[in-house]
Amino acid sequence: QKEVEQDPGPLSVPEGAIVSLNCTYSNSAFQYFMWYRQYSRKGPELLMYTYSSGNKEDGRFTAQVDKSSKYISLFIRDSQPSDSATYLCATEENTDKLIFGTGTRLQVFP
Amino acid sequence: ETGVTQTPRHLVMGMTNKKSLKCEQHLGHNAMYWYKQSAKKPLELMFVYNFKEQTENNSVPSRFSPECPNSSHLFLHLHTLQPEDSALYLCASSREGYGGANVLTFGAGSRLTVL
């Protein structure tokens, strides 16, 4: 079993839709949960991160962690064509070693 | 320049060539990383350097040889590569070991094609 599982997509949605991106993980010791966004021909950039369970909101983006089910989610409200990118979830055990998912490719069409 | 800069952006090499990838960070970070990104696979951590000392070698074949002369520069020397080594090689840096989440700043990557 992979430590972090993520559906590679692609996920194609119309502009304005609510997008839900998800990951599952296997190690209950993971404490930090991150979402990176990677545009084509660019490196990943940190979008947001959360510590332990709960929600964190930043503009149109909400990160959610459910430690009981080992489930990580990223919601994008009012999606825009500029949100088209690959979204990678990542987690770590407070050891500074990050474990990444495969990434989900998202396309938002006008 | 700010952030993490990688050169070259694209590299095509034969299996017998020797080439090097270069990474430079201007963020004052203490840790630098090489990752390999292949299609439909998670990012694979290759090497970690902290204050220019190698702290992790993730069972990488010896045809990949890292070099970290100081905390701001990182190289990946390539020799006798195989076609399956074709991938995007990402450099990253962070303030590792200071507690909290280890937030990585990535460069744009070097796209390597081995013929």
Side-chain angles (χ1 to χ4, degrees), chain A:
Chain A
Q1 183 187 11
K2 293 180 185 175
E3 289 190 275
V4 178
E5 299 264 10
Q6 185 175 11
D7 187 335
L11 180 62
S12 186
V13 302
E15 183 176 355
I18 296 174
V19 175
S20 172
L21 303 168
N22 308 294
C23 292
T24 59
Y25 63 93
S26 58
N27 188 343
S28 57
F30 290 144
Q31 296 187 35
Y32 292 98
F33 304 91
M34 305 169 191
W35 286 96
Y36 282 81
R37 178 176 60 195
Q38 185 174 18
Y39 289 115
S40 180
R41 300 186 181 84
K42 296 282 181 71
E45 58 176 345
L46 180 72
L47 197 55
M48 52 200 306
Y49 76 87
T50 56
Y51 174 72
S52 194
S53 279
N55 291 2
K56 185 172 184 179
E57 192 172 317
D58 184 1
R60 296 183 295 108
F61 299 87
T62 300
Q64 193 173 77
V65 176
D66 182 347
K67 291 197 80 177
S68 62
S69 58
K70 300 191 184 72
Y71 204 77
I72 316 165
S73 300
L74 178 70
F75 299 97
I76 307 174
R77 291 185 299 280
D78 188 25
S79 56
Q80 303 294 309
S82 58
D83 296 326
S84 298
T86 297
Y87 291 80
L88 299 99
C89 62
T91 181
E92 68 161 293
E93 197 184 325
N94 200 27
T95 59
D96 291 328
K97 183 178 176 182
L98 269 68
I99 311 295
F100 284 88
T102 53
T104 300
R105 190 158 66 90
L106 171 67
Q107 185 170 4
V108 182
F109 56 90

Side-chain angles (χ1 to χ4, degrees), chain B residues 62-83:
Chain B
S62 59
R63 56 187 184 268
F64 294 92
S65 173
E67 180 190 357
C68 189
N70 54 60
S71 293
S72 299
H73 293 85
L74 184 64
F75 295 89
L76 188 62
H77 303 299
L78 315 170
H79 174 51
T80 322
L81 295 192
Q82 305 298 310

Side-chain angles (χ1 to χ4, degrees), chain B residues 6-79:
Chain B
Q6 287 188 245
T7 54
R9 293 293 311 277
H10 299 274
L11 179 62
V12 179
M13 58 188 290
M15 292 168 62
T16 57
N17 291 157
K18 286 185 183 180
K19 297 284 184 184
S20 295
L21 307 181
K22 179 183 175 183
C23 177
E24 186 173 356
Q25 60 100 356
H26 307 270
L27 300 167
H29 289 164
N30 59 293
M32 296 189 77
Y33 309 76
W34 280 115
Y35 279 89
K36 177 182 178 183
Q37 187 174 37
S38 304
K40 301 197 175 166
K41 288 187 176 180
L43 286 177
E44 296 175 52
L45 178 63
M46 300 175 72
F47 302 103
V48 182
Y49 280 81
N50 195 324
F51 287 111
K52 76 179 184 179
E53 297 297 322
Q54 187 178 117
T55 58
E56 183 139 358
N57 176 337
N58 212 19
S59 303
V60 180
S62 59
R63 56 187 184 268
F64 294 92
S65 173
E67 180 190 357
C68 189
N70 54 60
S71 293
S72 299
H73 293 85
L74 184 64
F75 295 89
L76 188 62
H77 303 299
L78 315 170
H79 174 51

